[in-house]
Each structure stands twice: as C-alpha cells, then as structure tokens.
C-alpha cells in the first residue's frame, strides 16, 4: 500500500526544500508518470478514504498533492482537475489555521498547503492565500519576482477582477464573458 512518505518521496525527490520546475509547467511525460503511479490513490483521497492521513504532517502534505496538485496533472483540461479542491481546502484550513502543521514544514513544503487557497475562486480564500504566502517572504525563492508570493497576488487579482478563473471556464462548461475572452485572448496568464 502506498504511504504518505511514498507520495512525498516522489514529489520532493530532490529534497524537501528543493523547488522543481516540473511542478508548474506542462510536461506530458510528468503528467503520465503521475497518472500511472497515483491516479487510483488520488481518486481514493477524493472519496476521503485516506482521512486517517490527516493525523500527521506528512499525511496532510501528501493529501495536498493527491487532492490539489496531482489532479491538475492527471485530469489536465477537464473539470476533474478541480474535483478535490473543496475537500483539500477544508483539510488545509484545519491543518494550517487550527493545528499549525505548516510551521514544522520547509517553505517549499508549506507552499503546497497554501496552494489550495490560491486555487480557490472565493475572495476570502485568496486573501488567506496572500497572507500565508507573505509569511514566506524570508525565503528568497518565494519572494523573488515570479516566485510563489508574486503568483499568490496574481491569482488574487484575477479573482478580484472576474470573481473566478476564466481559464477554467471551458473545462467547467461555463460561458466566458466578453471581458474574460479579451483577457484569455491576451494570454490570460498569471
């Protein structure tokens, strides 16, 4: 049976505080590897079958990957990419705001407990995301232009402007407004 440490060993293969470029760029081979190795486990996490993992920091961090990150690789471009988001936000909210599990993690690991708030289309979650990421300002990788803090702010600006992420509209079957289409046509990037 796959354990939280197995998930973390795969994702943080270069060490718990080493940033990997593969995490945030499209790479079909990387997507396939995640799909082949973790799609069944990610589906189990979505049904909350791995609830016992919430009892330990490694388990919560592994759940953040299985519910928030891996689905974006496994189901790229479809609504299923976002199907675990709400559950992971609940888990992250408890882990970060109530139990403060994030304090014992490296800055790079903490980033993955904060991303569920950045990925939310709710303004309150965006505000929380920015607050949490700003707490990583002492790490130069997070504070650099184009770093994690910058991206948290960029995501917040999109939600503030549109109330949702327009690039998700097609996958979620939502019609884009004229303003969203203009933004998407201009690159729609963060």
């Amino acid at each position: 049976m796959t354990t939280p440490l197995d998930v973390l060993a795969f994702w943080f293969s270069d060490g718990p505080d080493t940033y990997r470029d593969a995490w945030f760029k499209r790479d079909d081979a990387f997507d396939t590897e995640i799909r082949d190795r973790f799609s069944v486990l990610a589906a189990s996490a979505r049904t909350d079958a791995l609830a016992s993992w919430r009892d330990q920091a490694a388990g919560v961090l592994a759940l953040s990957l299985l519910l928030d990150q891996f689905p974006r690789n496994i189901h790229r471009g479809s609504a299923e990419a976002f199907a675990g988001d709400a559950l992971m936000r609940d888990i992250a909210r408890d882990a970060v705001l109530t139990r403060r599990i994030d304090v014992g993690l490296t800055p790079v690991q903490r980033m993955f407990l904060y991303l569920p708030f950045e990925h939310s289309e709710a303004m309150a979650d965006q505000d929380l995301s920015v607050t949490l990421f700003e707490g990583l300002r002492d790490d130069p990788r997070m504070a650099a232009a184009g770093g994690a803090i910058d991206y948290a702010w960029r995501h917040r600006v999109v939600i503030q402007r549109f109330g949702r992420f327009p690039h998700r509209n097609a996958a979620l079957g939502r019609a884009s407004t004229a303003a969203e289409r203009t933004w998407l046509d201009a690159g729609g990037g963060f």
Side-chain angles (χ1 to χ4, degrees), residues 51 53-65 67 86-105 109-110 112-117 128 132:
W53 288 19
R54 297 181 193 192
D55 297 336
Q56 54 179 313
V60 172
L61 186 55
L63 285 170
S64 73
L65 300 172
L67 291 167
L87 176 59
M88 189 57 224
R89 273 193 309 278
D90 290 343
I91 294 168
R93 192 169 277 107
D94 174 63
V96 171
L97 299 179
T98 303
R99 298 189 301 149
R100 294 309 318 250
I101 285 174
D102 56 319
V103 174
L105 301 175
Q109 291 173 323
R110 290 168 74 178
F112 290 100
L113 284 186
Y114 302 164
L115 281 173
F117 304 112
L128 177 57
L132 292 170

Side-chain angles (χ1 to χ4, degrees), residues 51-145:
S52 65
W53 288 19
R54 297 181 193 192
D55 297 336
Q56 54 179 313
V60 172
L61 186 55
L63 285 170
S64 73
L65 300 172
L66 291 168
L67 291 167
D68 186 72
Q69 284 304 123
F70 289 3
R72 285 164 166 74
N73 297 89
I74 295 168
H75 305 290
R76 192 177 294 278
S78 76
E80 277 193 82
F82 316 108
D85 286 11
L87 176 59
M88 189 57 224
R89 273 193 309 278
D90 290 343
I91 294 168
R93 192 169 277 107
D94 174 63
V96 171
L97 299 179
T98 303
R99 298 189 301 149
R100 294 309 318 250
I101 285 174
D102 56 319
V103 174
L105 301 175
T106 70
V108 173
Q109 291 173 323
R110 290 168 74 178
M111 177 176 64
F112 290 100
L113 284 186
Y114 302 164
L115 281 173
F117 304 112
E118 182 178 308
H119 291 156
S120 173
E121 292 185 321
M123 198 65 210
D125 289 333
Q126 289 297 316
D127 290 338
L128 177 57
S129 167
V130 165
T131 298
L132 292 170
F133 275 103
E134 282 290 347
L136 299 175
R137 189 156 290 282
D138 289 343
D139 186 309
R141 296 167 299 179
M142 302 296 169

Side-chain angles (χ1 to χ4, degrees), residues 37-56:
R37 291 183 65 178
F38 298 106
S39 61
V40 171
L41 194 62
S44 292
R46 205 167 81 202
T47 66
D48 212 16
L50 304 177
S52 65
W53 288 19
R54 297 181 193 192
D55 297 336
Q56 54 179 313

